[in-house]
Short mmCIF file of all heavy atoms in Angstrom, two decimals:
data_model
loop_
_atom_site.label_atom_id
_atom_site.label_comp_id
_atom_site.label_asym_id
_atom_site.label_seq_id
_atom_site.Cartn_x
_atom_site.Cartn_y
_atom_site.Cartn_z
N LEU F 320 -35.88 -72.60 39.43
CA LEU F 320 -35.89 -71.43 40.26
C LEU F 320 -34.45 -70.87 40.50
O LEU F 320 -34.45 -69.68 40.73
CB LEU F 320 -36.41 -71.80 41.61
CG LEU F 320 -37.96 -72.20 41.63
CD1 LEU F 320 -38.45 -72.57 42.97
CD2 LEU F 320 -38.85 -71.05 40.96
N GLY F 321 -33.54 -71.72 40.37
CA GLY F 321 -32.13 -71.13 40.40
C GLY F 321 -31.73 -70.72 41.85
O GLY F 321 -32.54 -70.80 42.73
N GLN F 322 -30.63 -69.84 41.90
CA GLN F 322 -30.10 -69.36 43.14
C GLN F 322 -31.14 -68.31 43.78
O GLN F 322 -31.20 -68.25 44.97
CB GLN F 322 -28.78 -68.70 42.85
CG GLN F 322 -27.98 -68.35 44.11
CD GLN F 322 -26.66 -67.78 43.78
OE1 GLN F 322 -26.31 -67.60 42.59
NE2 GLN F 322 -25.74 -67.61 44.75
N SER F 323 -31.74 -67.55 43.05
CA SER F 323 -32.66 -66.55 43.50
C SER F 323 -34.03 -67.08 44.03
O SER F 323 -34.63 -66.46 44.74
CB SER F 323 -32.97 -65.52 42.41
OG SER F 323 -33.79 -66.08 41.51
N LEU F 324 -34.34 -68.33 43.62
CA LEU F 324 -35.64 -68.95 43.91
C LEU F 324 -36.86 -68.10 43.35
O LEU F 324 -37.83 -68.12 43.89
CB LEU F 324 -35.77 -69.08 45.34
CG LEU F 324 -34.74 -69.86 46.20
CD1 LEU F 324 -35.06 -69.92 47.75
CD2 LEU F 324 -34.66 -71.38 45.56
N LYS F 325 -36.52 -67.45 42.30
CA LYS F 325 -37.60 -66.63 41.48
C LYS F 325 -37.88 -67.31 40.22
O LYS F 325 -37.06 -67.98 39.54
CB LYS F 325 -37.06 -65.28 41.31
CG LYS F 325 -36.99 -64.48 42.65
CD LYS F 325 -36.57 -63.02 42.40
CE LYS F 325 -36.54 -62.20 43.59
NZ LYS F 325 -36.26 -60.77 43.32
N ARG F 326 -39.03 -66.94 39.64
CA ARG F 326 -39.48 -67.43 38.41
C ARG F 326 -39.35 -66.27 37.33
O ARG F 326 -38.94 -65.23 37.68
CB ARG F 326 -40.90 -67.86 38.54
CG ARG F 326 -41.10 -69.01 39.47
CD ARG F 326 -42.52 -69.50 39.57
NE ARG F 326 -42.64 -70.61 40.40
CZ ARG F 326 -43.47 -70.75 41.34
NH1 ARG F 326 -44.43 -69.93 41.59
NH2 ARG F 326 -43.51 -71.95 42.18
N VAL F 327 -39.69 -66.61 36.08
CA VAL F 327 -39.60 -65.54 35.04
C VAL F 327 -40.73 -64.60 35.24
O VAL F 327 -41.95 -64.96 35.36
CB VAL F 327 -39.77 -66.27 33.64
CG1 VAL F 327 -39.64 -65.25 32.55
CG2 VAL F 327 -38.67 -67.31 33.48
N LYS F 328 -40.32 -63.32 35.22
CA LYS F 328 -41.27 -62.20 35.37
C LYS F 328 -40.72 -61.02 34.55
O LYS F 328 -39.94 -61.23 33.59
CB LYS F 328 -41.36 -61.82 36.85
CG LYS F 328 -42.67 -61.27 37.30
CD LYS F 328 -42.72 -61.17 38.86
CE LYS F 328 -44.02 -60.64 39.32
NZ LYS F 328 -44.08 -60.56 40.77
N GLY F 329 -41.26 -59.77 34.78
CA GLY F 329 -40.76 -58.64 34.02
C GLY F 329 -39.32 -58.60 33.86
O GLY F 329 -38.56 -58.81 34.77
N GLY F 330 -38.91 -58.38 32.59
CA GLY F 330 -37.50 -58.45 32.20
C GLY F 330 -37.04 -59.67 31.62
O GLY F 330 -35.91 -59.79 31.04
N GLY F 331 -37.88 -60.76 31.61
CA GLY F 331 -37.56 -61.97 30.90
C GLY F 331 -37.32 -61.80 29.53
O GLY F 331 -38.03 -61.05 28.85
N SER F 332 -36.33 -62.46 28.89
CA SER F 332 -36.01 -62.33 27.51
C SER F 332 -35.36 -63.55 26.96
O SER F 332 -34.72 -64.30 27.61
CB SER F 332 -35.04 -61.01 27.42
OG SER F 332 -34.74 -60.84 26.06
N LEU F 333 -35.48 -63.84 25.60
CA LEU F 333 -34.94 -64.88 24.91
C LEU F 333 -34.15 -64.42 23.74
O LEU F 333 -34.64 -63.41 23.11
CB LEU F 333 -35.94 -65.94 24.52
CG LEU F 333 -36.72 -66.67 25.64
CD1 LEU F 333 -37.83 -67.40 24.99
CD2 LEU F 333 -35.87 -67.54 26.40
N THR F 334 -33.10 -65.18 23.26
CA THR F 334 -32.42 -64.98 21.97
C THR F 334 -31.89 -66.17 21.51
O THR F 334 -31.51 -66.97 22.37
CB THR F 334 -31.48 -63.78 22.07
OG1 THR F 334 -31.04 -63.30 20.75
CG2 THR F 334 -30.25 -64.20 22.95
#
Side-chain angles (χ1 to χ4, degrees):
L320 296 176
Q322 188 176 12
S323 69
L324 302 177
K325 292 184 175 184
R326 298 178 178 138
V327 178
K328 209 170 180 179
S332 182
L333 297 171
T334 192

